[in-house]
Amino acid sequence: MGNRLVALLSGVLVAGVVMAAPANASGTLTGVPSYEGSGIQDPALVGADPVAPGHKIEGFSGVGIQSIIGPDNRVRVNPTTNFPARATVLITRTSGGTERQHCTGWMFGASLVLTAGHCVWSGSAFYEGLRFYPGYNGDTAPYGSCTATTLRVSNGYRTNGSADEDYGGAKLNCTIGNTVGWYGAYATTASLNGTATTIQGYGGDKNKQQWLSTDQIRTSGALRLYYQNDTVGGNSGSAVATNRPAGSAGCAGWCSLAFHAYGGSQNSGARITSARLTEVTGWR
């Protein structure tokens, strides 16, 4: 209830959804607060599909850059029924009759998952056969799974594949966010260098387990953020998140700064700007 109260103080509650808070006095920060959800493990309550024991998901086979920068500092998240682990989503794709680990996403509302654009858009069309498992843990799905009714991708990524525009989302056929909660997000024109970052999700080398890595923003571009959190293929779409104290302007709790998408000497993802925050909030 405490996080819900923070959400209400920081934003506006409309039909059960916390909408973006107004910019602060300087006009440089806007945000949507996080919400921890009820945590109830009953998929039927929110229209999700229960997942029977023994359901088989094959491991990751996509192309991705393994970016372990120095010693591997990833730590397994177990259990995944606490927040924000339960709002972190394993995305699978079924092709040729086989369901495989595909990407990571993060809840951003009762029915919206956000992720990297290349996780939903192939370069010429939206992927088919995507399924979404909040809080998946190895071979168990404590909150069931949902499918997409609508897929979204930024215009920039759809038209020219721009790395600076690599973000997208999926409107689900369930309201699983009411149970698992959702990440918040905030945008600022100021430098974010030194801001603590956590990336958690489903690296392809970890057999559908959720792992996290911590670091900080190293370089703040206008449209992209750079950091040295350890990631591998399968982490694409993870929230680049920071944990902000209760009462923080715009967004309190677990708040995303970017959509993780790329590896290298520094990993990077499309930065959440004020315009992008307005755009993805509208996808709800």
Side-chain angles (χ1 to χ4, degrees):
M1 185 65 182
N3 282 348
R4 191 61 163 172
L5 179 59
V6 170
L8 289 169
L9 292 173
S10 304
V12 179
L13 186 65
V14 180
V17 175
V18 179
M19 304 303 290
N24 65 6
S26 67
T28 61
L29 190 152
T30 56
V32 173
S34 64
Y35 170 53
E36 293 195 7
S38 67
I40 297 172
Q41 296 179 44
D42 186 350
L45 288 177
V46 290
D49 297 321
V51 178
H55 178 77
K56 183 67 173 176
I57 298 174
E58 298 293 336
F60 181 78
S61 63
V63 176
I65 297 175
Q66 180 165 315
S67 296
I68 306 300
I69 303 170
D72 188 344
N73 76 359
R74 293 176 296 169
V75 177
R76 185 177 179 186
V77 180
N78 187 33
T80 57
T81 50
N82 297 320
F83 184 82
R86 63 184 180 228
T88 303
V89 181
L90 172 68
I91 303 175
T92 67
R93 179 178 171 231
T94 297
S95 179
T98 301
E99 184 178 8
R100 291 189 178 277
Q101 181 178 351
H102 179 62
C103 277
T104 299
W106 43 286
M107 296 303 303
F108 188 65
S111 300
L112 180 64
V113 174
L114 295 180
T115 187
H118 68 258
C119 292
V120 294
W121 178 255
S122 71
S124 59
F126 285 112
Y127 284 116
E128 296 182 351
L130 299 181
R131 186 166 283 273
F132 304 84
Y133 297 82
Y136 199 84
N137 190 12
D139 288 309
T140 62
Y143 300 99
S145 70
C146 304
T147 58
T149 60
T150 306
L151 296 176
R152 304 275 194 174
V153 68
S154 73
N155 287 335
Y157 191 75
R158 182 170 185 162
T159 57
N160 58 35
S162 170
D164 286 345
E165 304 280 347
D166 194 347
Y167 63 94
K171 181 75 171 180
L172 303 182
N173 68 340
C174 66
T175 54
I176 193 67
N178 291 331
T179 289
V180 301
W182 55 78
Y183 285 79
Y186 77 96
T188 176
T189 55
S191 171
L192 289 165
N193 290 3
T195 302
T197 54
T198 297
I199 293 179
Q200 60 190 84
Y202 297 93
D205 61 339
K206 296 300 185 182
N207 196 29
K208 306 176 293 294
Q209 297 171 354
Q210 191 178 133
W211 288 62
L212 67 78
S213 174
T214 57
D215 191 57
Q216 61 183 290
I217 300 298
R218 306 290 181 133
T219 305
S220 299
L223 297 178
R224 206 154 154 201
L225 298 177
Y226 298 82
Y227 36 85
Q228 294 184 5
N229 301 72
D230 292 321
T231 63
V232 302
N235 280 122
S236 287
S238 296
V240 182
T242 193
N243 193 4
R244 288 162 59 81
S248 294
C251 183
W254 284 100
C255 305
S256 184
L257 308 170
F259 309 84
H260 172 68
Y262 297 99
S265 58
Q266 293 194 99
N267 294 334
S268 64
R271 180 174 183 165
I272 296 176
T273 64
S274 180
R276 290 172 177 177
L277 182 61
T278 297
E279 178 184 17
V280 298
T281 302
W283 292 351
R284 288 174 158 180

